[in-house]
């Protein structure tokens, strides 16, 4: 894996999912370039613009296309994924025949203050990713419950055991991507 794109499904400043994504990015081997995908200027999907894609949508599609793999870091909203993330996934499949998700290796993770730590959202996300033909890493699954102080002031994971779990998750993902990369179909 040379380039990893990261998408965070929350726009808010101080997002727990962004903090988790940034902490994970610090654990990624330096040889892998990280490309952060911005969603805050991506318009709500409108089929009228499919043949003349808005610039942020073109950028989103190019970033996904250029990446060897994508990490999706999702909040849970009402037992599913936020509209902003679904919107980005949907745009990246349009217009027909130009989807950038086909056979794209994807890993998912998420954090919420709730006890099930985005389990329901992640299950919905797997469903959508399957529909668009992405290859979603089946295991390990990580559901994170937010706790005050879990991120240190320099943005790292404070708890050594949790940090190790994330390191194993990334190591597994890198090997899995190497085995499953097929290029866009
Ligand atoms: C939530 N939240 C939430 N949490 C959860 O664990 N399960 C859920 O179903 C929901 N539902 C939900 C709906 C809506 C509309 C909002 C705004 C929030 C709480 C959510 O996990 C919390 O706001 C997180 O802080 C959102 O992630 P970020 O923005 O911190 O990354």
């Amino acid at each position: 894996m040379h380039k990893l794109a990261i998408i965070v499904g929350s726009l808010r400043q101080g997002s727990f999912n962004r903090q988790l994504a940034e902490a994970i990015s610090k654990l990624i081997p330096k040889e892998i370039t990280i490309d952060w995908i911005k969603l805050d200027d991506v318009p709500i999907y409108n089929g009228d613009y499919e043949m003349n894609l808005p610039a942020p949508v073109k950028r989103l599609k190019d970033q996904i296309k250029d990446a060897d793999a994508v990490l999706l870091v999702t909040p849970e909203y009402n037992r599913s994924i936020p509209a902003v993330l679904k919107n980005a996934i949907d745009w990246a499949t349009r217009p027909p025949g130009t989807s950038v998700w086909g056979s794209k290796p994807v890993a998912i993770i998420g954090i919420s203050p709730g006890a099930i730590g985005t389990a329901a959202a992640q299950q919905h996300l797997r469903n959508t990713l399957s529909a668009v033909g992405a290859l979603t890493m089946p295991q390990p699954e990580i559901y994170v419950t937010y706790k005050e102080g879990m991120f240190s002031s320099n943005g790292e994971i404070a708890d050594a055991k949790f940090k190790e779990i994330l390191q194993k998750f990334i190591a597994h993902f890198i090997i899995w991507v190497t085995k499953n990369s097929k290029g866009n179909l």
Side-chain angles (χ1 to χ4, degrees), residues 16-36:
F16 302 147
N17 284 277
R18 178 153 300 278
Q19 290 181 64
L20 177 63
E22 283 173 5
I24 290 173
S25 75
K26 294 180 199 296
L27 302 175
I28 300 217
K30 296 283 168 275
E31 320 75 86
I32 297 174
T33 305
I34 296 176
D35 197 13
W36 292 94

Side-chain angles (χ1 to χ4, degrees), residues 10 12 14-18 75-79 111-114:
S10 171
R12 77 179 185 98
S15 153
F16 302 147
N17 284 277
R18 178 153 300 278
E76 180 168 293
Y77 282 4
N78 297 318
R79 298 286 178 261
I111 178 169
S112 89

